[in-house]
Amino acid sequence: MAKLMKKSSIKAGLPPGSLIFVGDKRAGEAKVNVIDYDEDHFQEKKLKRIDECFVFKNKAPITWIDVDMVNETNIVEKLGECHVLHPLVLEDILNTDQRPKMEDYGEYLYIVVRMLTCSGKNGDIESEQLSLILGPNYLISFQEKEGDVFNPVRERLRANKGRIRKAGADYLAYCLLDAIVDNYFVVLENYGERIELLEEQLIVNPTPATLKALHTLKRDMIFLRKSVWPLREVIAGLEREGASLISDSTRLYMRDVYDHTIQVIDALETFRDILSGMLDIYLSSVSHKLNEVMKVLTIIATIFIPLTFIVGLYGMNFKHMPELEWYWGYPAVLLVMFIISLFMVAFFRKKKWI
Amino acid sequence: MAKLMKKSSIKAGLPPGSLIFVGDKRAGEAKVNVIDYDEDHFQEKKLKRIDECFVFKNKAPITWIDVDMVNETNIVEKLGECHVLHPLVLEDILNTDQRPKMEDYGEYLYIVVRMLTCSGKNGDIESEQLSLILGPNYLISFQEKEGDVFNPVRERLRANKGRIRKAGADYLAYCLLDAIVDNYFVVLENYGERIELLEEQLIVNPTPATLKALHTLKRDMIFLRKSVWPLREVIAGLEREGASLISDSTRLYMRDVYDHTIQVIDALETFRDILSGMLDIYLSSVSHKLNEVMKVLTIIATIFIPLTFIVGLYGMNFKHMPELEWYWGYPAVLLVMFIISLFMVAFFRKKKWI
Amino acid sequence: MAKLMKKSSIKAGLPPGSLIFVGDKRAGEAKVNVIDYDEDHFQEKKLKRIDECFVFKNKAPITWIDVDMVNETNIVEKLGECHVLHPLVLEDILNTDQRPKMEDYGEYLYIVVRMLTCSGKNGDIESEQLSLILGPNYLISFQEKEGDVFNPVRERLRANKGRIRKAGADYLAYCLLDAIVDNYFVVLENYGERIELLEEQLIVNPTPATLKALHTLKRDMIFLRKSVWPLREVIAGLEREGASLISDSTRLYMRDVYDHTIQVIDALETFRDILSGMLDIYLSSVSHKLNEVMKVLTIIATIFIPLTFIVGLYGMNFKHMPELEWYWGYPAVLLVMFIISLFMVAFFRKKKWI
Amino acid sequence: MAKLMKKSSIKAGLPPGSLIFVGDKRAGEAKVNVIDYDEDHFQEKKLKRIDECFVFKNKAPITWIDVDMVNETNIVEKLGECHVLHPLVLEDILNTDQRPKMEDYGEYLYIVVRMLTCSGKNGDIESEQLSLILGPNYLISFQEKEGDVFNPVRERLRANKGRIRKAGADYLAYCLLDAIVDNYFVVLENYGERIELLEEQLIVNPTPATLKALHTLKRDMIFLRKSVWPLREVIAGLEREGASLISDSTRLYMRDVYDHTIQVIDALETFRDILSGMLDIYLSSVSHKLNEVMKVLTIIATIFIPLTFIVGLYGMNFKHMPELEWYWGYPAVLLVMFIISLFMVAFFRKKKWI
Amino acid sequence: MAKLMKKSSIKAGLPPGSLIFVGDKRAGEAKVNVIDYDEDHFQEKKLKRIDECFVFKNKAPITWIDVDMVNETNIVEKLGECHVLHPLVLEDILNTDQRPKMEDYGEYLYIVVRMLTCSGKNGDIESEQLSLILGPNYLISFQEKEGDVFNPVRERLRANKGRIRKAGADYLAYCLLDAIVDNYFVVLENYGERIELLEEQLIVNPTPATLKALHTLKRDMIFLRKSVWPLREVIAGLEREGASLISDSTRLYMRDVYDHTIQVIDALETFRDILSGMLDIYLSSVSHKLNEVMKVLTIIATIFIPLTFIVGLYGMNFKHMPELEWYWGYPAVLLVMFIISLFMVAFFRKKKWI
């Protein structure tokens, strides 16, 4: 899991609209990829200089400008100038600690969502901010890091499969959102498996490590929730009143993404409830183990302490201890001690301790 | 209880409307059963090929097409073509991890609910997705598995009992929903009994097994809740503004199902509250038992440890220990020890430990 | 407390409107009591046959038909026919596990509430379903069991006290609801006293029995809540928009019952909060007791275990142990042990354990 | 803290509007105090007979009739007749267990609030019901007990300070409400100090008495909450749509009281949160103390039990025990035991127990 | 952290609009700073007498009057007279325990927010009330203490950077609010770091000091929440319907501050959830440690107590104990004891205690 807070404090005191990258600086250059398409036409291009994409601006086909690694502020600035974006939008694109939101600026929609990916072997999730600018015939996407979940969408564009090349930029935006939400399910299944594994461990042999894993999972749930909850409102907004930029046919598809988002939220809440229940199980199993330990101690001590007293008694060195002289004294004492032990064992049996 | 998440991740990256079955694949073929009826006429038929049901499409009497085991995508596809269903609807029918919902597509309503059944001896619940397509004169039901709770409805159709043959397809849809919600009560009673059994156990002799049973019940409640809560909205939607497809007289009946759903939710919340209370009882009874164990240990140890010290004292081998020579030494020590024990017992009585 | 769930599952599979009694079957016959009144006229009659009450139907004065013990379905059926009630209403009257609700059928209102009474010495509450059919000039009440809280209302009718004989059937309905809600206060006071008693016990000497009593009270609160919460909506509905059947002057009185219901709900929430707090007290007092026990054990053991070691030391049988030969050896050892004990006691005092 | 419930059950069965005093009967007579004022004129009078105040009714200046100790029902009845109050209002005035509310009867407003005062040395709060009848040119206040927080208001009336003599009866009502809410701050500060005191105690030396104090504070918070929460709605009602009886200029002042009420509620919620946190601290400090006790026991026992075994070993009376004959046997054993102790101490140090 | 409640009780009984300072009295004089600016013109002035600022009142350029340390009531009074402010506003400015709010008085808006700053080395937060009076061409700010977070805003004004000198007083108000909310992030990051530090400690070595730190953090969160939650409504109010005083272009900026406020609230809730989880970890790690301690005790005691019994047995002084005479008696006993120990160790291994 990442740090609790990104360093957005470095912006305190700056005028609004200041373009400063907030987030983990990563080495490497920003990459700009442009796809220009309509039903009959398809062109894909990796740009070297950002200015090259300005030519696509007012041309008829739909243009998808995809910017990776937004840590270079000047790319954002130039794109902003070219498409007349509000300075606050540019600022938010660079501030990668946004919560998901949708803002309608009339001529374009500004959408922020979080892209989650499972990485590595232990399945840690990586979170990345995706900003979308949806205009009438263009879509600009800004990604925080390299790598995304959009390859299937690109494939469909290239292969001209399904509706995608026939529909507008709004449908493309839907496809990206759908890809992101579909990927949430991958993340959730990953967590579902980890929770079930932990549940088994908890019953077999709970250790402090189990507890730590539980805590980590709970914390991850809190972060996932923070990423997914506001998404609901975002997509509901796109479905309901997303202005003239979302066509009616796309709106039906948005409803479908909305349903998926609700399913994700439902699953998250279920996971949270189950994790809370597991903590209770852990605590009571720790108590139970303590009970077991104490029972063993009590049984052994309670049996032997009185016996030790008795043998100590006849170890005293008094001159006049008649029992010591008796011929059957020793066997008699052994017998007495045996009877006491039997009595003790019977007592513990009655208490259901053994 | 089933897995926490179904493998809906296999769909990540596919274009929307891709028909892929998500759920536990089951062996066996899909079965299609058609009932065609009006007040005077009744025909029931098991279809071999799905095309046979297309003839019923535009004919006047009401047609109920019931599809079992939807894992064959082509049946869904063909029915979709025949009744002009939206690709997203077909996708949702096959994705058996939906939450209950109702969508109005103008010419038909799409309803998803969960059918719960108690199976086996230990009363585990089985959950199954039921999709309903309600058109003006037809109802198509897609079931995830074989077996359902609709036999009484079929009987009434055959026997022409009550309103069922006189009313439209909307009333048939109501009957199916009513059968499903009625069956929730069977499931709830089952749980009610298990909770009461557990409550008794908890008081008589709580063990870690009790705790595990408690955890399982709690988890089941979370899953039941997930299935039933959204149903409320679904039925409220059908009652309130379910478009022209729900007639006014059926709407009254929908209100009745709505009331039952609320009752089910109420009972679920009550169960959850009671289960939470039981966990507290368990924890405190474990604490109480520990106290009991410790009291026994403390009483025995506290009485005998000082006595053992005394007998050890007179077991020392010092040359000059005048007490050892005394004639009444031994009895005197015995008396002292007896008095000490009495004192200790009195102390414990005062503390109310014995 | 009654069972967690009534056997409403026996209705699964039956067509809607099936008249089947759901609840605890009770021996004895149903009783029908009719009161026919207006300002100048009063007639009370115990009916033998249900048909006798049909004569009152369209006559001008107000008629109150009170049916006790609704387990005979044919009485409900005949009354339903006579007053043209919807089959779903008749079904709900017989299904005695309803949650409080109000339904407006245009010509009559159907109201379900729960009547609570304290019975026996230990003050267990009895819950009973009361169904009211309020028409323009008649009121039909169906009670689940014999005995009710309406005698003061009957007295007022007989004695012509207050507004009751001057006002309409809606005012009579108000009087019955008011009597029921007033009786909730009796039940609440009963619980208030039991909670205060338990609170005292908890401080003086908490035992597992206290815990069980706490659990029972908590469970009762859950059930009371379930009975009273929905009543709020019911009465708010009657006050606000209860159609033409509730006159404006009666509406003011309904507001008064509404206030009382809110007070009851407030008190219930307070009780729940207090009971939750009491559980915490119980748990921490159990912990505290364990601490006390352990302190006693630790003090005794910690003082005597080292001493026992010392006396054991000089009980060894080595040939060459110079201390044993010393004349002051024994007193010296006694002194050493005394000093060690003093030191230990001082240590415990510092720790504030004694 | 008072009883959990007042005896409002004595009213069960009585017709609505029955005038019966519900609350703690107090000895002493009711007192009626009348202040009649406008900008130029001021008259204050203690009445002996309630009829004397009827003369003020229709006269132009504003009249404030203040009734202390409402246990005499006939005063309420006569005032009710004189000012044509609804019987339900009179009933509520006498039933001193009302929750705060505001009811608009067209010609007058009926307002119920709770007046809280800190009394005695340990700062227990006293709660008292205040009923206000606000008419166009009169205000009648009914207090449950003697003594109130209105003396500053009376002073301002006498001294003609500020707006009070220039404004109408609605402004007078505002002044009383303001005085009551201002006094809530006094009560809250009292509790704030008690909570801070307890917090210190909890850290220094938590005892069961601390726990009991915590419980009492929590319970008090529940009661305060019950008194203050509904007040919010009451004052919001007066501010928003309090009919023609509240002038626009007074409405601004009502908003101010509303703000104060919100502040009081905020503080209450903060107190509740802090108290909950304190319980957790208590519980874990009890656990921590148990740990300390057990560590001492374990350290002492674990060091000496093996040593005691060793000295017991050489206290055996076998004939052939060669070690006993050795000249250096005794010192060797002492050395061995010393080394064992060192080892044990090192072990505990490693575990960070000492 | 400050006291739980400020002494607002000193106001109880005073007429509304009484100008009394509520808060911590600080030595030193109030300071008044005036900035008068428009696009071409800039004037900054430290005033000695408050009357000097009256000249700016009706002049065209925008005037920002910034008052530090409001404990002198007469400054507030004079400014109030000059700008015709409502007496309740003046009262609220001086009562420094307000919750954030926004009130529209038609000719001006009154806004109260809390300014938080991190001070000192251990990062305690300081909270200060800021009152803003926003008129058509002036902004008056009242600060409780010296020092603020507005220096960057002043710099921008002086340097004429960005929109600030071109826009109106509403934009200036936005800049101040933005500076305050930006500073919340600094505070939150501070807390984020403290929480992460504590989380590490909790895992490495939890002590009662950790618990106390946890409690302090939780309490701070409660206070932060109280300061920030109502701010949401305040800014939403300014964005939505802040009357004619907020221009449309500024409204977009207000939406940006609104987003930041939501982010702050989100982070606060996340912190609260994490802190709750940490308490559970603490409690269970304390339990775990107790288990460890008890296991050591039990293992040592359970092994040696039986052995001690055996050596005590052969330390008895009976005349006739044949074993004592055997030549191999001593080695045999040693062997037996060794076997018993082995058995015990095996038992503990099976239990997974060692």
Side-chain angles (χ1 to χ4, degrees), chain A residues 3-5 218-227 272, chain E residues 188 195 199 221 225 262-278:
Chain A
K3 283 261 167 192
L4 277 178
M5 294 281 301
K218 272 184 119 172
R219 217 181 128 165
D220 284 7
M221 286 305 120
I222 295 170
F223 278 92
L224 282 178
R225 211 175 168 234
K226 216 172 130 186
S227 303
R272 270 167 67 102
Chain E
L188 282 179
I195 288 173
E199 235 173 347
M221 286 304 121
R225 209 174 170 236
I262 298 287
Q263 258 175 279
V264 169
I265 289 171
D266 258 26
L268 276 177
E269 295 303 312
T270 303
F271 286 2
R272 269 167 67 103
D273 280 357
I274 289 176
L275 286 170
S276 295
M278 283 163 74

Side-chain angles (χ1 to χ4, degrees), chain A residues 68-336:
Chain A
D68 261 25
M69 313 247 287
V70 291
N71 27 15
E72 279 172 59
T73 56
N74 71 324
I75 290 183
V76 175
E77 209 173 345
K78 279 182 188 162
L79 272 167
E81 272 166 30
C82 168
H83 290 88
V84 207
L85 304 179
H86 196 278
L88 286 171
V89 167
L90 302 180
E91 188 186 348
D92 282 354
I93 288 168
L94 286 164
N95 186 341
T96 64
D97 204 20
Q98 301 289 320
R99 78 199 291 267
K101 68 178 172 181
M102 190 270 288
E103 285 173 0
D104 191 344
Y105 283 86
E107 274 156 67
Y108 56 90
L109 293 176
Y110 173 51
I111 305 167
V112 185
V113 297
R114 304 238 123 230
M115 184 153 57
L116 302 175
T117 40
C118 280
S119 73
K121 296 150 223 162
N122 40 11
D124 285 340
I125 47 171
E126 293 247 338
S127 171
E128 174 177 353
Q129 170 166 320
L130 176 79
S131 298
L132 296 178
I133 306 286
L134 171 62
N137 65 340
Y138 63 90
L139 178 77
I140 317 180
S141 57
F142 297 92
Q143 302 184 31
E144 193 183 341
K145 307 174 190 170
E146 246 188 312
D148 56 33
V149 298
F150 301 147
N151 283 330
V153 178
R154 287 192 195 96
E155 279 311 317
R156 271 189 278 152
L157 274 174
R158 286 175 201 136
N160 195 358
K161 267 202 289 193
R163 290 187 71 214
I164 196 161
R165 289 258 289 267
K166 294 166 200 80
D170 57 340
Y171 188 82
L172 179 60
Y174 151 73
C175 288
L176 299 189
L177 290 175
D178 190 49
I180 284 171
V181 173
D182 273 2
N183 207 57
Y184 287 175
F185 285 102
V186 182
V187 170
L188 281 180
E189 277 168 34
N190 182 335
Y191 274 101
E193 276 161 28
R194 283 162 73 182
I195 289 174
E196 284 177 346
L197 209 77
L198 205 66
E199 235 173 347
E200 260 170 58
Q201 262 181 46
L202 207 62
I203 286 158
V204 177
N205 185 28
T207 63
T210 325
L211 184 68
K212 232 194 106 184
L214 203 59
H215 180 62
T216 310
L217 282 178
K218 272 184 119 172
R219 217 181 128 165
D220 284 7
M221 286 305 120
I222 295 170
F223 278 92
L224 282 178
R225 211 175 168 234
K226 216 172 130 186
S227 303
V228 180
W229 257 102
L231 185 60
R232 202 173 87 153
E233 277 169 67
V234 170
I235 296 178
L238 288 172
E239 185 200 335
R240 241 180 300 124
E241 25 94 57
S244 55
L245 285 168
I246 306 285
S247 66
D248 277 357
S249 62
T250 304
R251 214 153 284 185
L252 265 183
Y253 287 90
M254 285 297 178
R255 187 167 68 179
D256 195 56
V257 190
Y258 181 77
D259 276 355
H260 293 171
T261 314
I262 298 287
Q263 258 175 279
V264 170
I265 289 171
D266 258 27
L268 276 177
E269 295 304 311
T270 303
F271 287 1
R272 270 167 67 102
D273 280 357
I274 288 177
L275 287 170
S276 296
M278 283 163 74
L279 186 71
D280 290 330
I281 298 255
Y282 178 83
L283 282 173
S284 53
S285 97
V286 166
S287 294
H288 183 75
K289 273 170 127 183
L290 181 60
N291 265 13
E292 288 305 301
V293 169
M294 293 318 296
K295 269 186 206 166
V296 168
L297 174 59
T298 301
I299 289 168
I300 295 290
T302 312
I303 291 178
F304 283 101
I305 285 181
L307 302 187
T308 304
F309 162 70
I310 289 172
V311 302
L313 190 70
Y314 294 107
M316 290 196 297
N317 296 323
F318 281 102
K319 277 237 163 91
H320 304 281
M321 286 182 70
E323 299 96 321
L324 295 181
E325 316 293 324
W326 299 348
Y327 190 80
W328 294 108
Y330 179 49
V333 161
L334 286 180
L335 189 71
V336 165

Side-chain angles (χ1 to χ4, degrees), chain E residues 34-308:
Chain E
V34 176
I35 294 178
D36 196 62
Y37 70 92
D38 61 12
E39 203 173 344
D40 314 306
H41 155 100
F42 178 86
Q43 185 186 358
E44 191 169 4
K45 214 174 165 181
K46 276 203 191 330
L47 298 195
K48 296 226 171 90
R49 293 177 44 231
I50 186 65
D51 317 57
E52 296 176 42
C53 74
F54 297 172
V55 298
F56 297 107
K57 196 192 161 188
N58 290 316
K59 291 206 300 186
I62 293 149
T63 313
W64 173 19
I65 305 173
D66 182 26
V67 184
D68 261 24
M69 314 247 283
V70 290
N71 28 14
E72 280 174 58
T73 56
N74 71 324
I75 290 183
V76 175
E77 208 172 346
K78 279 183 188 160
L79 271 167
E81 272 166 32
C82 168
H83 290 87
V84 207
L85 305 178
H86 195 280
L88 287 171
V89 167
L90 302 181
E91 188 186 350
D92 283 353
I93 289 169
L94 286 165
N95 185 341
T96 63
D97 204 18
Q98 303 289 319
R99 80 199 291 268
K101 68 178 172 181
M102 190 268 290
E103 285 172 1
D104 191 344
Y105 284 85
E107 274 156 67
Y108 56 90
L109 293 176
Y110 173 50
I111 304 167
V112 184
V113 297
R114 304 237 122 231
M115 183 152 60
L116 302 174
T117 41
C118 280
S119 72
K121 296 149 222 162
N122 40 10
D124 287 340
I125 47 171
E126 292 247 340
S127 171
E128 175 175 355
Q129 170 165 322
L130 176 79
S131 299
L132 295 177
I133 306 287
L134 171 62
N137 65 338
Y138 63 90
L139 178 76
I140 317 180
S141 57
F142 296 92
Q143 303 184 31
E144 193 184 340
K145 307 172 191 171
E146 247 188 312
D148 56 33
V149 299
F150 300 147
N151 283 331
V153 178
R154 287 193 196 97
E155 279 310 317
R156 269 188 279 152
L157 274 174
R158 283 173 203 137
N160 196 358
K161 267 203 288 195
R163 292 185 70 215
I164 196 161
R165 289 258 290 266
K166 295 168 199 78
D170 56 340
Y171 188 82
L172 180 60
Y174 151 74
C175 288
L176 299 190
L177 289 175
D178 190 49
I180 284 171
V181 174
D182 273 2
N183 207 56
Y184 286 176
F185 284 101
V186 182
V187 170
L188 282 179
E189 276 168 34
N190 182 336
Y191 274 102
E193 276 162 28
R194 282 162 74 182
I195 288 173
E196 284 177 344
L197 209 77
L198 205 65
E199 235 173 347
E200 260 170 57
Q201 261 180 47
L202 208 60
I203 286 158
V204 177
N205 185 29
T207 64
T210 325
L211 184 68
K212 233 194 105 185
L214 203 58
H215 180 64
T216 310
L217 282 178
K218 271 184 122 172
R219 217 180 129 167
D220 284 8
M221 286 304 121
I222 294 170
F223 278 92
L224 282 177
R225 209 174 170 236
K226 217 172 129 185
S227 303
V228 180
W229 258 101
L231 186 59
R232 202 174 87 152
E233 277 170 66
V234 170
I235 296 177
L238 288 171
E239 185 200 336
R240 242 179 299 124
E241 25 93 56
S244 55
L245 285 169
I246 306 286
S247 66
D248 278 356
S249 62
T250 303
R251 214 153 283 185
L252 265 183
Y253 288 88
M254 284 297 177
R255 187 166 70 179
D256 195 55
V257 190
Y258 182 78
D259 276 355
H260 294 171
T261 312
I262 298 287
Q263 258 175 279
V264 169
I265 289 171
D266 258 26
L268 276 177
E269 295 303 312
T270 303
F271 286 2
R272 269 167 67 103
D273 280 357
I274 289 176
L275 286 170
S276 295
M278 283 163 74
L279 187 71
D280 290 330
I281 298 254
Y282 178 83
L283 281 173
S284 54
S285 98
V286 166
S287 293
H288 183 75
K289 273 170 127 184
L290 181 60
N291 265 13
E292 287 304 300
V293 170
M294 293 317 296
K295 270 187 206 165
V296 168
L297 174 58
T298 301
I299 290 167
I300 295 289
T302 311
I303 291 178
F304 284 101
I305 285 180
L307 304 186
T308 304

Side-chain angles (χ1 to χ4, degrees), chain B residues 191-199 217 271 274 278, chain C residues 4:
Chain B
Y191 275 101
E193 276 162 28
R194 281 162 74 181
I195 290 174
E196 283 178 346
L197 209 78
L198 205 66
E199 235 173 347
L217 282 177
F271 287 2
I274 288 177
M278 283 163 73
Chain C
L4 275 178

Side-chain angles (χ1 to χ4, degrees), chain D residues 16-81:
Chain D
S18 303
L19 300 187
I20 286 202
F21 176 74
V22 175
D24 304 325
K25 272 268 158 70
R26 246 163 287 268
E29 272 177 47
K31 283 174 195 164
V32 181
N33 193 47
V34 176
I35 294 178
D36 195 62
Y37 69 93
D38 62 11
E39 203 171 345
D40 315 305
H41 154 100
F42 179 85
Q43 185 187 358
E44 191 169 4
K45 214 173 164 184
K46 276 205 191 328
L47 299 195
K48 295 227 171 89
R49 294 177 45 229
I50 185 66
D51 319 56
E52 295 176 41
C53 75
F54 297 171
V55 298
F56 296 108
K57 195 192 161 187
N58 290 315
K59 291 207 301 189
I62 293 149
T63 314
W64 173 18
I65 304 172
D66 182 26
V67 184
D68 261 23
M69 314 248 284
V70 290
N71 28 14
E72 279 174 58
T73 56
N74 72 324
I75 289 182
V76 175
E77 208 172 346
K78 279 182 188 162
L79 270 168
E81 272 166 30

Side-chain angles (χ1 to χ4, degrees), chain C residues 170 246-253:
Chain C
D170 57 339
I246 306 285
S247 66
D248 277 357
S249 63
T250 304
R251 214 152 282 185
L252 266 184
Y253 287 90

Side-chain angles (χ1 to χ4, degrees), chain B residues 149 152-153 156 161-162 171 174-175 178-179 182-183 185-186 188-189 191-193 195-196 199 203 249 252-256 259-260 262-263 266-267 269-271 273-274 277-278 280-285 287-288 290-291 294-295 297-298 301-303 305-306 308-323 344 347-348 351-353, chain C residues 2-17 86-88 91-92 95 97-99 101-105 205 207-208 211-212 215 218-219 222-223 225-226 230 272 279 282-283 285-287 289-294 296-297 300-301 304-305 307-308 310-312 314-318 323-331 333-334 337:
Chain B
V149 298
V153 178
R156 269 189 278 152
K161 268 202 290 194
Y171 188 80
Y174 151 71
C175 287
D178 189 48
D182 273 3
N183 207 56
F185 284 102
V186 182
L188 282 179
E189 277 168 32
Y191 275 101
E193 276 162 28
I195 290 174
E196 283 178 346
E199 235 173 347
I203 286 158
S249 62
L252 265 184
Y253 287 90
M254 286 296 178
R255 186 166 70 180
D256 194 56
D259 275 356
H260 293 171
I262 298 286
Q263 259 175 279
D266 258 26
E269 295 304 311
T270 304
F271 287 2
D273 280 357
I274 288 177
M278 283 163 73
D280 290 330
I281 298 255
Y282 178 83
L283 282 172
S284 55
S285 99
S287 294
H288 183 75
L290 181 60
N291 265 13
M294 294 316 297
K295 270 187 205 165
L297 174 60
T298 301
T302 311
I303 291 178
I305 285 180
T308 304
F309 161 70
I310 290 172
V311 301
L313 190 70
Y314 293 107
M316 290 196 297
N317 297 322
F318 282 102
K319 276 234 165 93
H320 304 281
M321 287 181 69
E323 299 96 320
M344 283 295 184
F347 173 76
F348 293 135
K351 288 253 180 194
K352 298 219 170 128
W353 292 0
Chain C
K3 283 261 165 192
L4 275 178
M5 294 281 302
K6 291 199 180 172
K7 274 279 168 201
S8 42
S9 65
I10 57 170
K11 296 200 56 180
L14 290 177
H86 195 278
L88 287 172
E91 189 186 349
D92 282 355
N95 186 341
D97 204 19
Q98 303 289 319
R99 80 199 289 267
K101 68 177 172 183
M102 190 270 288
E103 286 172 1
D104 192 342
Y105 284 84
N205 185 29
T207 64
L211 184 68
K212 232 193 106 184
H215 180 63
K218 270 184 123 172
R219 216 179 129 165
I222 294 171
F223 278 92
R225 211 175 167 234
K226 217 173 129 184
R272 270 166 67 101
L279 187 71
Y282 179 83
L283 281 173
S285 98
V286 166
S287 294
K289 273 170 127 185
L290 180 61
N291 266 12
E292 287 304 302
V293 170
M294 293 318 296
V296 168
L297 174 59
I300 294 290
F304 283 102
I305 284 180
L307 303 187
T308 304
I310 290 172
V311 299
Y314 294 105
M316 290 196 296
N317 296 323
F318 283 101
E323 298 96 319
L324 295 181
E325 315 295 323
W326 297 350
Y327 189 82
W328 294 108
Y330 179 51
V333 160
L334 286 181
M337 293 193 299

